[in-house]
Each structure stands twice: as structure tokens, then as C-alpha cells.
Amino acid sequence: MRPRGERALGCCGLCTCPAAAGDEIMHQDIVPLCAADIQEQLKKRFAYLSGGRGQDGSPVITFPDYPAFSEIPDKEFQNVMTYLTSIPSLQDAGIGFILVIDRRQDRWTSVKASVLRIAASFPANLQLVLVLRPTGFFQRTLSDIAFKFNRDDFKMKVPVMMLSSVPELHGYIDKSQLTEDLGGTLDYCHSRWLCHRTAIESFALMVKQTAQMLQTFGTELAETELPNDVQSTSLVLSVHTEKKAKAKEDLQLALKEGNGILESLREPLAESTSHSVNQDQLDNQATVQRLLAQLNETEAAFDEFWAKHQQKLEQCLQLRHFEQGFREVKTTLDSMSQKIAAFTDVGNSLAHVQHLLKDLTSFEEKSSVAVDRARALSLEGQQLIENKHYAVDSIHPKCEELQHLCDHFATEITRRRGLLSKSLELHSLLEMSMKWCDEGIFLLASQPVDKCQSQDGAEAALQEIEKFLETGAENKIQELNKIYKEYECILNQDLLEHVQKVFQKQESTEEMFHRRQASLKKLAAKQTRPVQPVAPRPEALTKSPSPSPGSWRSSESSSSEGSALRRGPYRRAKSEMSESRQGRTSSTGDEEESLAILRRHVMNELLDTERAYVEELLCVLEGYAAEMDNPLMAHLISTGLQNKKSILFGNMEEIYHFHNRIFLRDLESCIDCPELVGRCFLERMEEFQIYEKYCQNKPRSESLWRQCSDCPFFQECQKKLDHKLSLDSYLLKPVQRITKYQLLLKEMLKYSKNCEGAEDLQEALSSILGILKAVNDSMHLIAITGYDGNLSDLGKLLMQGSFSVWTDHKKGHTKVKELARFKPMQRHLFLHEKAVLFCKKREENGEGYEKAPSYSYKQSLNMTAVGITENVKGDAKKFEIWYNAREEVYIIQAPTPEIKAAWVNEIRKVLTSQLQACREASQHRALEQSHSLPLPAPSSTSPTKGGNSRNVKKLEDRKTDPLSLEGYVSSSSLPKPPEKGKGWSKTSHSLEAPEEDGGWSSAEELINSSDAEEDGGLGPGKLVPGKYTVVMDDEKEGPDTLAMRTGDMVEVVEEGAEGLWYVRDLTSSKEGWVPASSLSTLLGKSSSAQCLSSSDSSPGSAVLSTSSSCSEGCPTPFSELQG
């Protein structure tokens, strides 16, 4: 028998016999059912296929005694008949079925109905119908009579045999083909038969589906196009391998199930060897075995196909790796070849050539990695070709190209080394020639002329010269044309000129030797002693040879030969100097052109980076900031990020609009004149203050970013923008940009020293650095904690820094006086215009800006009550800040003297501005008094001694004029001293020096200076900076000197070089230099204006000359002046 499921499986294409496949397809239309579909109907067992056969092999269908046979619906009866007749093979079904109808316990009427129903609806061929009629006497008699009279009703295509007993049945069918209920020996279990049929048909369906799945997968593999990159190829190989493993897993499950069914079919025979197996059981085993064989064949075919497909994918991956490596290596080799091609310099000196050779060796060592990789990649390609790769036509040319590139690079390196070796050889020869010339010149210069006047001396000198000339064969250039020919490959214009100059020097040296030889030979040939000429002492001659071709001329000119011998080389040297000056003039234009190119390069970089910066800002604002207001993105924004856009982005939009609308256009207007770009910065310096606001917000922004960096909103925005870097990198762009400007300005300034806009560039650079300092200071300022007031009320932050601080409070109304601290306090000082703050620095743990320190406020000093002492004995890094007339003294130690000087200077400026405010207030009051009351008469104590009445009158006129009072002269009316006068040294500042001159030093005042108290003041007769009255007339001796008249008030500013003092005439506001000797005479014994008492000067000047702190002597409190 052949099961129905096998025929159904054949239609999927797994059957190996085309004819059988066609027959089964035709049969499939007749038997659409399977056991699982009519399982409940088969379980009723009103008919079954026991597996028995008739004598001619006809299948036997048994209809057992079933009282409710007439109640079975026609549809169920038809389904069961159709299914049972579809199970035997086509060959067995073609013989015809034998029906055994067991109605021994039934009535004749039921028998008649059953036979008629079976005959009417049986779907297959019938060979014989055997009916076991009822066994009761009455029913048997009735059946005999009825059958005879109703024979026509049973007319069928096959005979119907009415049997009275089971033995009669055995006459038609052998007992071995009948079940036990019919007196046979055939072993049949209906439930087992039904289980086996269901399992076999399920397995057949699984085989069919597995075959279809493998066929579909194979089609997918065959139709897959090979990717063009490594990543895609790896992905395809991985996906296909995963799918193949799943298909193999399904195949193994089907094989396992088939083997299980086969074991179940063989189980009865395994339990008892005497058990007989009917034909249906044999057919079932054969069917399962054939299905298993088909599975094994399918698996083998699929494995073979997969092996080829996998090999092709792996080869494709190898090819993509090879191609990617080829592209990378080729790019590297091309770059290296370009570098070696541009490496044309052959050197201008021996040291330079040696340096070039060293660079070439270093370059070759670094390049060897790329060359080795290229050769390894070429070998890898050859290996792929040997392994019969499918893309041999693509791999082979690339291997040849790699080999060619490596060989070409090696050839270029060798050629380059050969040229440099030639250059080294030539420069060595030139060096030896120059050294030989220098030694020769030194020899000629060191020969004492007085000893050469004798015959023996002349002969000794001749031998010395001849011996030296013999060394020239090895050290000097023999033939110039031979040099040209031998070193033609490296002789450029510069090197050619160098060779010619060395050869000229060599010829000049040889000419000198020949002349000296001729002179000495004449001296050696004379018998009488000539008159000995005066010769320079040998000690005055040069003691060592000149190291360069240009310096030999000085040695040559210092030779002790006669003037005729010296004039020739001197004239040559002079002409060569003239030529060199002409060369320098011509090279100046080239230098200017080079500088212009460099300026354009810097300008292009500034513009390119500015445009990129603007684009990046716009990208962030549109791609992140604007999306935070997008309702479609609201679900991605975490609660911690909502309504925090201003914190996250700060004033980035303001920065963008400034650069996009204003500054970028300003820069583009300077593209033709890069040196004028400084004006763009100066004109927009106020707008650059927006960066300070951005940087102050940066810590809050970064803290928010760390809290919300894993928010899906940022990931989605980054994905849309296709950014490789996350948002925090772009939020750092403004900070990076503001620091980039000062680097570009420095570069531009370096190439624009003599250009029109150099001053603007310098000022712009200083302004940008000032902004950076302000930004940096503000970042520290916002970290101050514990200050109750408003920091903005303290004025502008001028400086900040960390110092070691000692306290030494000697005076004061505190109940308990503090002793001086031996261990310094570490304090961070913030210098404002109106106060200085002392804070304690505390390092914070965290990341980024959270790791920045914070500052705990400790105390503050009002600048109106502050004084300073510049120098503290024993340490150049210390200075003093004292408060309220030294009630509180703070000794400050800076990290370096330079930092100390910067702080002292800045504090001086603050105090100077306060003093200026006092002056202006006093001047204002004096003006009011001059309009209301006459000024008091000048004191009888005159600051001049021995002056005439004209001088006194001039002084009185100045004293009575409130606009020209000594203490009220404003800083704007005084000219600036020379640059070398700027600084903070004691000798460079007077008490009344204006602010732009560096301010005044409290360390110089006798009342406020600790140094002055300890030193006891200045000694008599010593000229020090200050204000004096001229006691003698002095006429102007030169354009830079200053003419003075008796009675003039002058200010001695500083001492200069060569005994000169820089002096400012306070009457005429003229300045100039005066010799110290003249100045001492002119000033006589007049006192410095620093020592004037309050009766000798105006109230304002008296106040200003006795204190560096406005609070100690200023008539009007500073708070009132502010109002």
C-alpha cells in the first residue's frame, strides 16, 4: 500500500519519478481528505481497513456489526468510504475491493438497507461483496426468502454472496487475512491503526513543508546580490548563516520525527518475532522510509548548495577587505609619494644636508609601516588568487599596482638619498675648501713680519707656506668644470653660486699665498738686511680661523702684509658687500610677497572656520533647540529637561545672530586687505561681551546635560542630523571659538609687523585677551559662596588669584589683638574697583565644570581705606595690604615676582584713580572759593632759595591760579615719559605721577611706606625723582635736551643711561633729557616737592602727599565724591 500523504508530498517536487508524480496529482483530486480531518468519524469503526487481502490481492474492507449503521449521516459515510479506498496503492485499488459485511446479529431489513446503501455510495471498484446474514432461525429464513424474491434489487456489478456462517467466509478469504471477530488470525487494533495513519500523514506534511522552506531559502540565497563593502558583506554572511542554522534545525526535527514513527511501526515485530505483519503495515514502513530518504537527499543537496554559497560569500568578504585595504594603502602611498616628490631641497650647508638626510631616514622609517602593509596586502591578494578566488580578474591588477607603488616609492627614496649623498659629498668638499682657506688666511695672518725680514725667517716662512700648500691637493677644489659635471644633478642656482663663491675664495687665498711667496723669496734672496718696517703685533691678529665664507675677509684685511696686499681683498669685500646689499633689496620684495601670502592664508583660515562655526551654531539651534518646541518630539523629552532650553543653550541664539548677520560680513569685507582685519574686532568688541554671559551659564548647561544626556530626544535629534558627536561637543563650540580668535590674530600680527593695520591688530589681540581674562575671571567670580552683598556693587573685577597670606594686626580697637600668624593662610583674592575680597578655595569632586573649585567668602577690605607697601624685606614675592592706617596688615606672597608686580600695579591704579577723584573734588572746591573769596597769600617759606623776584612772582602767579596749582595738574595735560621709563621701580615714579605713567607707589611715601620708616628717609645730596624748583638758567644744547629758566617748577622723572635724567617742565609741559651734573647745579639745594609741608602747598596737594589711602587725609569722604 502507498499512503495518501506521500502522493500529496510528491506534488511539491521532491518525488524523483515524474510519471508517479503525475499519477498522484491526478489522484489528489479524488482523495482530498486525511485521517486528522475525519478522525472522529473513523473512531466510530463502522468500517475499517484491516490490511487483509483476498486471494488475488484485493484489499478487504470490513463492515462489522454496527447497530446504528442506518443512523450514520451520508456525509460521514461518504468521507470514511472515500478515505478508506484511498489508502491502498493504485495497483491494489485497481484490482477491486472485497467487502465483508457482518450482519449476524442484525435483522434482514437492516441487512437489505446496509447492502443497498453500500452499493449505492461505494466510491471505488468492487470485486466481491460477502454478507454474513443474521443467525436467528426466523431472520435466516426470512433472508433466504427475501433474497430470492428481491434478487433484482441487489443487482450490482459484482456478485453479492449471502453467507450463513463464518466457515463459509473462510472459503472466500483465508483466515490469516481476517480479523479475530471473523474467525481469523490477523492482528488488528483500530486505535493503533488510526494513530499510525495520523502520524504518517503529519510527517509527510512536515517533509513537504521542509522541502518547500529549503527551496525558498535556496532561491533567496541564489538571488542575493553580493554587497560592495565590508560591513554589508559581513551582515549578509551573518544573516544567511543564521537562517541556514534555523533551516538545519527544522530539518533535524523532521528527521527525528520520521525515525520515531518508523520505530513505532516496527515495535510489534520487535516485541515478538512470531508476529505477522500485514501488507498495510509493510506499506506504512516503506512510506516512512521513503520520506526519510527524501529528507536526507534534500539535506545533502542543500548542504552542497550552502557550501558553495558560503564559500562565495566568504570570498566576497575577503575581496571587500582586500579592496578596502587597497584603497587605504594606495591613499597612504600616494601621499607619501607626493611628499617625497615635494622633498626637492638639497641643502645649503653641510649641517643642513645632514639634517635633511636625518629627516629622510626618519621619513623612511615612518613610511616603512605603510610599505610593509602594502607588500603584505599584495601577498594576501596572491594567496586569494592561488585559492581560486572568483574575482581573480579584479585582484590581480591591484596586486600589481601595489607592487608597482612600493617599488616606485623605494626607488624615489633611493634616488633622493643618492642626491642628498651627492650634496653631502659636495658640501663636505666645499667645507674642507673653506676650512683650508680659513686656515691659510690664519697662517698668513699669524706669520710675524719682523721675523720674516731675515733670510732665515723668510726661508722658514716659505717652508711653512709650501708645507701648507701641499695639503691643498686633498682639501681644495681642483677643477670647477669637473665639479659642475660631477654634481650637475644637484646644482641649483643657490648652490651654484655658493660653489662659485667658495672657488673664488679659494683662488683669492691662493693668490695671497703666491704674493706672500714672491715677497718671501725676494727677502730670502737678499744678502743685506733690509730696513725693518713697523708691523702690527701678532697678539692683535686673529687667533682662530673664520668659520664661514663671509668672515674670512675680515681676517684677510687684518693681515700684516703691506697696504698693497690688503687693498685687493678689501676692495673685493667691499664690492661683495655692495652686491649683498643689492641682493637684500631685491629679496625684500620677495619677503613682502611671502608675508602677503601668509596673511591671505591666515585670513582664509579665519573665514573658513568662521563660516563653519556659523553653520554649526545654526545646526544646533535648528536641530536641537527648535525641536524642543516641536509637539511631535514632546514625548521624547524627559521631565528633567522640560522648560530648560534657556539653561541648556544659554544665549547661543544671540551669538549666532551676531556672527551670521554682522561679524562674518565684516570679515568678508577684509578678504582683500587681511592686515586690516583688526579693525573688525575693535569695532565689535562690545558685542563680544555676549561670550561672558554664555560662559557663565556653561556650568549649569553642562550639569543639565549630564543629568539628561541619555534622553531619547537627544539621540533622535543626533540621528536626524547625522552627527557623529553628541550635543555637548557642539555646546562647547562658542568657548573654543572665542579662544581661537587670539591665536589667529597672533598669526596675522606676526606677518603684518610693518603693515598699515599692525597697531589695530595689536590692540585687537589685547582686547580679545582682555575678554578671555574677563570670561575666566567671571567663571571664578560666580563660584564665590557666602557673600551676603551684591558682587556687582563692588565694581569691575580687575584681578583674581591664589596667594599665601599672613596677618599682622598691630593696631585697632579689637578687644583681643591677633598675633602674627607664622603659618600662612591660603587665600584666593578678588580685586574689584571698590573692594578686595579674601576667599578660601575649596576643590569640588565631580566632572567637568562641577570639578571646578568654589570659593568660601572670608572677608573684604574697602579700597577707600586700603594702602599698600610694595616691598617686604626678605622676599621679592611679598607685598603688604594694610587697612585703616595699619590697624590691619596683610602680608601677601605671590607665586612669582611677576604676579606680585602685576597686582601691585593694578592696586596702584585703583588708588591713583581715588587720589585723582580727591584732586578733582579739591579743585572743584578751590574754583568755588576763587569766585567767592581771595586765596590766602603764599607762605613766606619759599621752596626756592636764592631766587630773584621774577622767579617768586612766577611762582606766586602759579599758586594764585587755581587752574595751575601744583597738586591739581591733571594727567591728561602731562606728556608721557619714554617707554623705558614705564614700570614700577622706585626711581621711575614720583608722588604726583599721573595714572598713565604707571601710578605712584605708596612704598615711596615717607609716611605710608614701611620701607621708608625702616630706612630713615633719603640721604642728603642724593638726586631722586620728584618735583624741584630751578635755581639757575640753562640754555638748550641739543634737539633732545630741555632748556630751563630760574623759578621753573620741574619734575625729575627718572634716571637714564650715560648720566642723563628725564625731566618734565611743569610750567611749559615740555620734556627732555638733562645731564646729571647740570641738573644738580640747576636745582641746587632745592627740596623735592615730596617734602613740602601743608603750608607750602595747596590743601589738596598736602592731603595727597601724606597718604596713599584716601580715607586718612582726604577732606571729602570718598562716598560723598561718588555721590
Side-chain angles (χ1 to χ4, degrees):
M1 289 189 302
R2 165 178 272 177
R4 164 189 166 276
E6 184 181 357
R7 291 197 297 276
L9 185 63
C11 70
C12 71
L14 295 178
C15 182
T16 57
C17 178
D23 292 341
E24 293 185 9
I25 290 172
M26 294 297 292
H27 196 64
Q28 186 178 9
D29 297 335
I30 305 172
V31 283
L33 300 175
C34 60
D37 297 334
I38 58 172
Q39 187 171 5
E40 294 301 322
Q41 301 167 24
L42 290 173
K43 283 182 179 180
K44 294 180 179 180
R45 198 173 174 268
F46 60 82
Y48 60 85
L49 190 66
S50 63
R53 292 292 188 271
Q55 294 177 357
D56 56 356
S58 301
V60 177
I61 296 179
T62 303
F63 290 86
D65 186 29
Y66 191 79
F69 185 78
S70 60
E71 299 175 2
I72 298 173
D74 291 340
K75 182 64 176 174
E76 291 186 11
F77 181 79
Q78 185 67 34
N79 288 340
V80 172
M81 290 298 103
T82 302
Y83 179 72
L84 292 178
T85 55
S86 69
I87 292 175
S89 65
L90 294 176
Q91 182 180 357
D92 292 345
I95 298 174
F97 288 88
I98 298 176
L99 303 183
V100 178
I101 304 173
D102 184 6
R103 290 295 180 264
R104 287 175 291 174
Q105 304 300 325
D106 212 344
R107 293 176 299 173
W108 166 248
T109 55
S110 298
V111 173
K112 178 181 177 182
S114 299
V115 172
L116 291 175
R117 185 178 187 182
I118 293 170
S121 59
F122 194 76
N125 296 332
L126 284 173
Q127 185 182 19
L128 181 62
V129 178
L130 300 175
V131 181
L132 284 173
R133 60 186 179 179
T135 56
F137 176 75
F138 176 75
Q139 294 295 330
R140 184 188 305 170
T141 304
L142 183 60
S143 62
D144 287 341
I145 296 170
F147 185 72
K148 291 177 181 180
F149 287 103
N150 298 298
R151 186 178 293 274
D152 292 338
D153 296 337
F154 296 100
K155 284 184 178 180
M156 304 172 71
K157 294 180 181 180
V158 295
V160 177
M161 306 300 297
M162 287 292 180
L163 305 177
S164 301
S165 62
V166 173
E168 288 184 32
L169 178 62
H170 294 166
Y172 292 95
I173 301 174
D174 189 80
K175 291 171 60 175
S176 63
Q177 302 300 317
L178 293 172
T179 57
E180 292 180 357
D181 57 343
L182 296 176
T185 59
L186 181 63
D187 181 25
Y188 175 75
C189 175
H190 188 68
S191 61
R192 184 177 62 191
W193 175 85
L194 184 58
C195 180
H196 285 170
R197 288 306 306 171
T198 304
I200 291 171
E201 290 174 359
S202 175
F203 176 58
L205 182 61
M206 179 181 287
V207 171
K208 176 182 177 181
Q209 292 173 344
T210 302
Q212 289 176 345
M213 179 269 295
L214 291 176
Q215 184 177 2
T216 303
F217 182 44
T219 303
E220 179 186 349
L221 297 183
E223 293 177 354
T224 300
E225 293 185 4
L226 297 178
N228 293 323
D229 59 277
V230 172
Q231 184 176 0
S232 300
T233 307
S234 300
L235 182 61
V236 169
L237 181 59
S238 174
V239 171
H240 284 190
T241 303
E242 185 177 347
K243 288 185 177 181
K244 176 254 181 186
K246 181 67 171 59
K248 289 286 288 184
E249 183 180 348
D250 294 342
L251 195 60
Q252 292 300 321
L253 288 175
L255 287 171
K256 183 179 181 181
E257 183 172 346
N259 288 321
I261 295 172
L262 189 59
E263 289 295 325
S264 177
L265 292 174
R266 291 174 177 174
E267 187 177 349
L269 185 62
E271 292 176 356
S272 175
T273 56
S274 60
H275 178 77
S276 60
V277 180
N278 61 45
Q279 186 61 42
D280 283 353
Q281 291 174 337
L282 292 174
D283 288 345
N284 287 342
Q285 292 181 21
T287 298
V288 174
Q289 288 174 347
R290 279 195 297 273
L291 289 173
L292 288 172
Q294 286 181 7
L295 277 179
N296 289 326
E297 290 175 4
T298 303
E299 182 182 21
F302 176 75
D303 287 343
E304 182 180 356
F305 174 77
W306 168 255
K308 294 179 180 178
H309 180 74
Q310 184 182 29
Q311 181 184 15
K312 191 163 187 178
L313 277 180
E314 289 175 348
Q315 288 184 346
C316 178
L317 184 60
Q318 292 171 347
L319 178 62
R320 299 299 177 247
H321 277 296
F322 176 77
E323 289 174 343
Q324 180 177 335
F326 172 78
R327 288 192 295 269
E328 293 173 355
V329 168
K330 186 176 184 302
T331 301
T332 305
L333 289 178
D334 288 343
S335 174
M336 288 161 41
S337 298
Q338 290 176 0
K339 289 180 181 179
I340 197 67
F343 197 20
T344 57
D345 195 359
V346 293
N348 51 25
S349 66
L350 183 63
H352 188 199
V353 177
Q354 290 172 343
H355 181 71
L356 291 176
L357 276 170
K358 185 178 179 181
D359 288 346
L360 181 64
T361 302
S362 176
F363 177 72
E364 185 178 13
E365 290 175 355
K366 293 178 181 178
S367 305
S368 62
V369 177
V371 174
D372 293 343
R373 185 185 174 194
R375 296 192 186 279
L377 193 62
S378 178
L379 292 176
E380 182 181 332
Q382 294 295 338
Q383 189 66 36
L384 293 177
I385 294 173
E386 292 177 5
N387 292 337
K388 299 181 179 179
H389 196 283
Y390 70 87
V392 173
D393 294 339
S394 174
I395 297 173
H396 186 67
K398 290 182 173 61
C399 292
E400 290 185 344
E401 186 174 359
L402 285 175
Q403 194 63 40
H404 171 72
L405 288 173
C406 292
D407 294 342
H408 175 71
F409 180 75
T411 302
E412 284 298 310
I413 288 287
T414 304
R415 186 184 69 83
R416 182 66 194 158
R417 180 173 282 106
L419 291 176
L420 288 177
S421 299
K422 275 286 187 183
S423 179
L424 183 68
E425 183 180 330
L426 176 59
H427 279 287
S428 298
L429 180 60
L430 296 175
E431 196 80 14
M432 287 191 297
S433 176
M434 288 189 293
K435 185 178 179 181
W436 182 80
C437 293
D438 292 338
E439 290 175 352
I441 293 170
F442 179 73
L443 173 64
L444 293 177
S446 60
Q447 286 182 340
V449 178
D450 53 348
K451 292 183 180 179
C452 293
Q453 300 303 314
S454 65
Q455 186 175 6
D456 293 339
E459 289 178 353
L462 270 175
Q463 291 178 359
E464 190 176 14
I465 289 174
E466 289 172 356
K467 184 178 181 182
F468 176 79
L469 289 176
E470 290 176 0
T471 62
E474 300 175 356
N475 297 322
K476 67 179 183 178
I477 301 174
Q478 300 298 334
E479 298 180 16
L480 196 58
N481 291 331
K482 186 178 180 181
I483 295 293
Y484 291 162
K485 185 176 181 181
E486 185 175 354
Y487 299 101
E488 182 181 4
C489 57
I490 61 170
L491 281 177
N492 54 33
Q493 186 63 33
D494 293 338
L495 190 54
L496 184 63
E497 292 177 358
H498 183 51
V499 171
Q500 291 173 348
K501 288 180 180 178
V502 172
F503 189 72
Q504 289 174 2
K505 179 179 180 179
Q506 182 179 295
E507 286 185 331
S508 299
T509 305
E510 289 177 336
E511 182 182 356
M512 291 168 60
F513 271 99
H514 293 327
R515 290 178 180 175
R516 177 66 64 86
Q517 277 182 315
S519 300
L520 292 174
K521 285 179 179 178
K522 290 180 180 178
L523 291 173
K526 291 181 179 180
Q527 299 298 324
T528 59
R529 185 178 181 87
V531 178
Q532 181 173 349
V534 178
R537 295 179 61 81
E539 292 79 0
L541 299 175
T542 306
K543 297 298 181 184
S544 60
S546 174
S548 62
S551 60
W552 65 275
R553 299 181 185 94
S554 59
S555 300
E556 182 181 17
S557 62
S558 62
S559 175
S560 58
E561 292 185 84
S563 60
L565 187 64
R566 289 196 300 268
R567 276 195 299 271
Y570 174 74
R571 289 188 185 125
R572 281 196 299 273
K574 192 171 182 181
S575 64
E576 288 180 11
M577 288 174 63
S578 176
E579 290 175 4
S580 67
R581 279 196 296 270
Q582 293 176 1
R584 283 196 299 271
T585 304
S586 63
S587 65
T588 302
D590 296 338
E591 184 179 355
E592 286 298 324
E593 185 177 351
S594 300
L595 290 175
I597 293 173
L598 292 171
R599 287 195 296 272
R600 285 196 295 271
H601 175 73
V602 176
M603 190 66 199
N604 290 335
E605 183 180 358
L606 176 58
L607 276 172
D608 292 343
T609 53
E610 184 72 14
R611 294 186 183 109
Y613 174 54
V614 170
E615 287 294 326
E616 287 171 342
L617 292 181
L618 179 62
C619 194
V620 171
L621 292 172
E622 291 183 345
Y624 286 97
E627 289 296 307
M628 291 186 72
D629 300 327
N630 185 356
L632 299 177
M633 299 286 283
H635 66 285
L636 298 176
I637 300 177
S638 61
T639 55
L641 190 60
Q642 292 176 356
N643 302 321
K644 299 287 181 65
K645 184 169 77 170
S646 60
I647 296 177
L648 185 62
F649 298 98
N651 62 330
M652 179 181 282
E653 185 174 358
E654 184 182 6
I655 294 174
Y656 165 72
H657 288 312
F658 164 63
H659 284 272
N660 183 49
R661 298 173 182 174
I662 301 174
F663 193 61
L664 179 57
R665 297 178 184 179
D666 291 349
L667 293 179
E668 288 172 344
S669 66
C670 295
I671 192 169
D672 296 326
C673 302
E675 62 274 8
L676 303 181
V677 75
R679 297 176 185 174
C680 297
F681 285 89
L682 293 176
E683 290 172 359
R684 305 299 177 187
M685 202 52 65
E686 289 186 8
E687 285 91 335
F688 275 108
Q689 302 297 329
I690 57 179
Y691 279 92
E692 186 172 344
K693 180 179 177 182
Y694 185 86
C695 293
Q696 288 177 351
N697 180 68
K698 196 69 178 71
R700 299 173 64 204
S701 172
E702 187 166 293
S703 177
L704 179 61
W705 166 256
R706 275 195 300 275
Q707 296 172 18
C708 307
S709 59
D710 56 349
C711 178
F713 169 77
F714 294 125
Q715 300 171 7
E716 182 65 22
C717 292
Q718 183 177 352
K719 183 179 178 181
K720 286 183 179 180
L721 294 171
D722 195 24
H723 281 179
K724 295 181 179 179
L725 300 176
S726 54
L727 174 61
D728 59 324
S729 300
Y730 291 92
L731 293 177
L732 197 60
K733 294 290 183 181
V735 181
Q736 295 171 336
R737 186 59 182 168
I738 191 66
T739 57
K740 177 73 173 178
Y741 286 132
Q742 55 104 1
L743 299 176
L744 293 170
L745 285 172
K746 284 180 181 177
E747 285 294 304
M748 184 66 78
L749 183 62
K750 184 169 69 175
Y751 306 134
S752 310
K753 292 294 185 183
N754 300 320
C755 295
E756 177 185 351
E759 292 184 2
D760 290 340
L761 285 170
Q762 182 62 57
E763 188 176 350
L765 176 60
S766 301
S767 300
I768 285 291
L769 291 175
I771 288 178
L772 291 177
K773 178 182 178 300
V775 168
N776 182 57
D777 290 346
S778 68
M779 298 298 290
H780 289 273
L781 193 62
I782 63 176
I784 296 178
T785 60
Y787 183 74
D788 294 334
N790 189 348
L791 291 173
S792 60
D793 295 340
L794 303 180
K796 182 181 178 182
L797 177 64
L798 303 175
M799 301 190 79
Q800 54 84 24
S802 295
F803 299 88
S804 297
V805 179
W806 289 265
T807 58
D808 187 9
H809 300 342
K810 300 177 181 178
K811 302 177 183 179
H813 354 280
T814 54
K815 294 182 180 179
V816 180
K817 296 183 178 179
E818 295 185 28
L819 298 176
R821 294 173 59 106
F822 293 98
K823 183 178 180 181
M825 299 177 291
Q826 298 303 316
R827 292 289 182 263
H828 201 89
L829 272 60
F830 293 87
L831 177 62
H832 291 260
E833 291 176 323
K834 299 180 182 179
V836 57
L837 271 60
F838 289 75
C839 299
K840 185 173 182 180
K841 185 176 181 180
R842 301 186 187 278
E843 296 290 345
E844 300 291 341
N845 296 323
E847 298 179 358
Y849 284 96
E850 288 187 357
K851 196 176 182 181
S854 64
Y855 304 98
S856 297
Y857 168 76
K858 293 299 180 183
Q859 65 188 112
S860 62
L861 304 179
N862 194 326
M863 290 303 293
T864 59
V866 164
I868 60 169
T869 303
E870 176 182 354
N871 296 316
V872 175
K873 283 193 173 181
D875 195 337
K877 297 183 289 186
K878 289 183 179 179
F879 64 98
E880 284 184 355
I881 296 179
W882 40 267
Y883 196 61
N884 285 339
R886 301 188 70 85
E887 285 183 5
E888 302 175 17
V889 179
Y890 301 90
I891 301 173
I892 314 296
Q893 184 182 45
T896 64
E898 291 76 16
I899 295 177
K900 168 208 165 178
W903 273 73
V904 168
N905 181 52
E906 201 63 40
I907 294 173
R908 280 179 172 179
K909 289 182 181 179
V910 174
L911 299 180
T912 301
S913 64
Q914 294 178 357
L915 290 174
Q916 185 65 28
C918 290
R919 290 195 189 105
E920 292 174 355
S922 299
Q923 182 178 2
H924 180 68
R925 286 193 302 274
L927 287 173
E928 291 179 349
Q929 293 173 3
S930 66
H931 290 291
S932 59
L933 295 174
L935 289 174
S939 171
S940 59
T941 305
S942 173
T944 61
K945 293 183 179 180
N948 55 26
S949 59
R950 181 175 62 88
N951 297 336
V952 175
K953 181 70 170 62
K954 186 182 295 183
L955 183 60
E956 288 176 350
D957 292 340
R958 292 174 61 245
K959 293 234 177 205
T960 57
D961 184 2
L963 296 178
S964 62
L965 289 173
E966 175 186 329
Y968 300 153
V969 179
S970 65
S971 60
S972 59
S973 65
L974 302 178
K976 295 183 179 180
E979 288 294 321
K980 61 181 178 180
K982 292 185 179 179
W984 302 322
S985 63
K986 283 188 175 182
T987 59
S988 62
H989 305 284
S990 70
L991 179 66
E992 299 281 329
E995 181 176 344
E996 60 263 30
D997 292 343
W1000 47 265
S1001 170
S1002 61
E1004 295 163 3
E1005 296 185 302
L1006 301 180
I1007 295 178
N1008 292 342
S1009 172
S1010 299
D1011 294 343
E1013 290 175 6
E1014 295 172 2
D1015 295 339
L1018 299 171
K1022 181 179 178 181
L1023 190 62
V1024 297
K1027 294 182 180 178
Y1028 298 84
T1029 302
V1030 179
V1031 297
M1032 292 180 62
D1033 290 345
D1034 178 57
E1035 296 298 330
K1036 187 173 182 180
E1037 298 179 357
D1040 294 330
T1041 58
L1042 180 67
M1044 294 185 292
R1045 295 289 184 269
T1046 303
D1048 288 352
M1049 291 296 295
V1050 297
E1051 180 182 5
V1052 179
V1053 179
E1054 69 172 324
E1055 183 178 10
E1058 300 177 358
L1060 297 176
W1061 279 78
Y1062 192 82
V1063 176
R1064 178 187 295 119
D1065 191 334
L1066 299 179
T1067 305
S1068 62
S1069 297
K1070 295 181 180 179
E1071 300 174 331
W1073 294 97
V1074 177
S1077 56
S1078 302
L1079 190 60
S1080 301
T1081 305
L1082 293 172
L1083 302 182
K1085 297 181 180 181
S1086 73
S1087 302
S1088 169
Q1090 289 182 348
C1091 302
L1092 292 175
S1093 65
S1094 58
S1095 60
D1096 295 326
S1097 60
S1098 66
S1101 62
V1103 170
L1104 296 181
S1105 65
T1106 56
S1107 175
S1108 65
S1109 172
C1110 289
S1111 63
E1112 294 184 34
C1114 186
T1116 305
F1118 188 65
S1119 59
E1120 294 181 16
L1121 294 177
Q1122 286 180 309

